[in-house]
Amino acid sequence: MKIVDSKGRLFGKVNILDLGAIAVIILVLIGIFVVPGPKGSIAQVGAGNTDTIELNLLVRGLSVKDPDSLLKQFNQQANINIIVRNEPAGQLTVESAERLKNYVIVPQPDGSVKALLDPRPETFSLDMMLLLTGKGQMTDDGAILANQKIKIGTVLELDGTNYNFRGSVIGVNKKQ
């Protein structure tokens, strides 16, 4: 008696391709249920110590009719809602908000360039720097706030009653 016959059956009863498909399905089920791997997100704040994290947020080219009242609102407002990677991530405290001056690049007669203050009247564009603080954890891999990794370059969306805009994190520190 042959082990594999002319139709590809083992001992004349089971097809080799069917046996292979069953083996693959069993291995997949073992991989899913028996060996699940680590549980939870790597960005979760554990039960360890929490730190106060400071973020420097740069906002450039924000179109706003009355920039002074917006800055005043930030300096008076204690908490601000943030959204990280399109998911609500809680609130941070606004420590300070300052307006940055607008500069333009001006070519000089000798071929060099200088950055000079923009002489144009109000253009309804605001550049500002926000200092935000919140409870999180500093790890070797960076800061974790509201179960989200925050690093330099991370885009935060600020959401309030009369504004919604994005800024880029340019500094992350543990508050001393």
Side-chain angles (χ1 to χ4, degrees):
M1 174 182 238
K2 290 184 174 180
I3 295 176
V4 179
D5 65 7
S6 64
K7 293 184 179 181
R9 292 182 292 197
L10 241 106
F11 304 110
K13 298 191 186 256
V14 179
N15 192 330
I16 294 176
L17 293 177
D18 293 339
L19 190 63
I22 291 171
V24 168
I25 291 171
I26 290 172
L27 288 174
V28 167
L29 290 175
I30 289 172
I32 291 173
F33 295 112
V34 177
V35 189
K39 292 185 175 164
S41 170
I42 55 174
Q44 290 180 350
V45 176
N49 57 349
T50 57
D51 304 314
T52 301
I53 308 296
E54 287 184 336
L55 300 176
N56 296 98
L57 189 75
L58 178 65
V59 179
R60 302 207 57 165
L62 179 63
S63 298
V64 58
K65 183 177 180 183
D66 189 4
D68 294 327
S69 68
L70 183 64
L71 285 170
K72 185 178 178 183
Q73 181 179 351
F74 284 134
N75 284 319
Q76 292 174 349
Q77 186 176 6
N79 292 323
I80 189 168
N81 297 320
I82 64 163
I83 300 168
V84 181
R85 296 176 191 93
N86 294 327
E87 292 186 24
Q91 293 186 336
L92 295 178
T93 303
V94 179
E95 298 295 327
S96 67
E98 72 175 273
R99 185 175 192 164
L100 301 175
K101 296 178 181 175
N102 290 332
Y103 287 92
V104 292
I105 304 299
V106 179
Q108 300 299 306
D110 63 356
S112 63
V113 293
K114 284 187 180 179
L116 300 174
L117 285 175
D118 192 352
R120 294 178 289 184
E122 185 63 42
T123 58
F124 303 111
S125 179
L126 173 66
D127 294 345
M128 67 178 158
M129 175 80 67
L130 297 170
L131 177 63
L132 307 170
T133 59
K135 293 292 183 189
Q137 186 176 14
M138 269 311 243
T139 64
D140 293 336
D141 197 29
I144 299 174
L145 287 169
N147 288 338
Q148 295 283 342
K149 283 186 181 181
I150 306 292
K151 297 182 178 186
I152 292 174
T154 301
V155 176
L156 297 182
E157 188 174 338
L158 306 179
D159 187 40
T161 55
N162 63 344
Y163 58 85
N164 182 295
F165 59 89
R166 296 172 184 242
S168 180
V169 175
I170 62 168
V172 180
N173 300 313
K174 180 178 171 182
K175 190 172 183 180
Q176 301 299 331

